[in-house]
Amino acid sequence: MPFTLPLGSKPPYFSLKGTDGKTYSLDDFNSARLLVIFFTCNHCPYVTGSDEVTRTTAENYLNHGVRFVGINSNSLETVPEDSFGEMVKRMEEKRFPWIYLHDDTQEVARAFGALRTPHFFVFNEERHLIYCGRGVDSPKDAKEIKVNDLERVLAESISGKQVSIPLTNPIGCNVKWAGKDAKWMPPEACDLVPREES
């Protein structure tokens, strides 16, 4: 069994508290034409460097029935900035066009096989996974972005096309797992796409 959810999979069920004080489950997004679930956080430079690009994509596709759900699974023992209180402050300040949920047990991150922040999972109307990986090719420095994979996937799907590249490697900081070194990755975690030898 691979660590990260394979293409074609259904999203694991979740019920998590949002920064707006409400609890959300997968069922709350049943009406979405496409559902983008992404693992994110408050502090990671790859997240903060690309959040505005993600915002633009979310806003561009809102009228097409695409819903975005951000999930923070980082251990606050490792990074205190990733606490729920800081999540609330960040959403109050930034007002991102997505629901921001707290996975304090990290069970949801493990169920999805989240590798990094950010890590995007796109599900179609039947809730099959059609894309998994990075949002853009330069999340740390938006000025250097040449490829926006998330935008491409949504455009292809909305227009009825098959996703041309369904799998990429997420680019970012690794998920901060409770009780582990900040750089630790689960032993069964691996690249989604083999990397070329340099």
Side-chain angles (χ1 to χ4, degrees):
M1 182 73 180
F3 178 72
T4 301
L5 209 61
L7 292 171
S9 300
K10 295 274 195 175
Y13 187 81
F14 60 80
S15 179
L16 298 172
K17 185 177 179 180
T19 54
D20 59 1
K22 300 176 184 176
T23 297
Y24 292 86
S25 74
L26 199 55
D27 296 336
D28 289 305
F29 307 100
N30 283 344
S31 62
R33 182 174 176 185
L34 296 174
L35 181 60
V36 179
I37 296 175
F38 64 109
F39 290 83
T40 183
C41 64
N42 300 327
H43 84 283
C44 172
Y46 296 89
V47 168
T48 58
S50 59
D51 262 344
E52 291 305 319
V53 178
T54 306
R55 180 201 297 274
T56 299
T57 300
E59 290 174 345
N60 286 347
Y61 285 90
L62 183 62
N63 290 337
H64 292 281
V66 180
R67 295 291 304 277
F68 277 63
V69 179
I71 299 176
N72 178 12
S73 301
N74 276 358
S75 168
L76 62 86
E77 297 168 9
T78 311
V79 185
E81 284 178 71
D82 281 328
S83 69
F84 182 73
E86 291 298 318
M87 290 171 60
V88 172
K89 287 182 187 176
R90 185 159 164 72
M91 283 299 279
E92 287 175 348
E93 177 191 345
K94 300 293 186 179
R95 301 198 175 278
F96 290 122
W98 51 75
I99 301 297
Y100 194 15
L101 305 178
H102 192 211
D103 174 25
D104 59 341
T105 67
Q106 303 191 304
E107 290 176 6
V108 178
R110 277 202 172 270
F112 276 80
L115 296 170
R116 302 193 176 275
T117 54
H119 187 167
F120 292 84
F121 296 78
V122 181
F123 298 89
N124 64 12
E125 202 159 6
E126 290 76 38
R127 293 299 179 265
H128 293 124
L129 183 64
I130 58 171
Y131 176 75
C132 182
R134 69 189 188 184
V136 295
D137 63 341
S138 178
K140 199 172 183 179
D141 185 357
K143 297 190 297 295
E144 297 297 320
I145 293 173
K146 296 181 177 63
V147 179
N148 188 325
D149 288 283
L150 184 60
E151 189 94 23
R152 169 187 54 79
V153 168
L154 298 182
E156 289 173 342
S157 299
I158 291 298
S159 62
K161 297 177 183 175
Q162 187 169 354
V163 174
S164 56
I165 303 172
L167 208 57
T168 60
N169 288 316
I171 302 172
C173 302
N174 58 296
V175 173
K176 306 307 181 193
W177 298 98
K180 302 292 185 181
D181 179 82
K183 300 286 186 184
W184 184 84
M185 294 276 274
E188 64 272 32
C190 63
D191 287 338
L192 304 182
V193 179
R195 298 180 191 270
E196 295 181 2
E197 296 290 337
S198 56

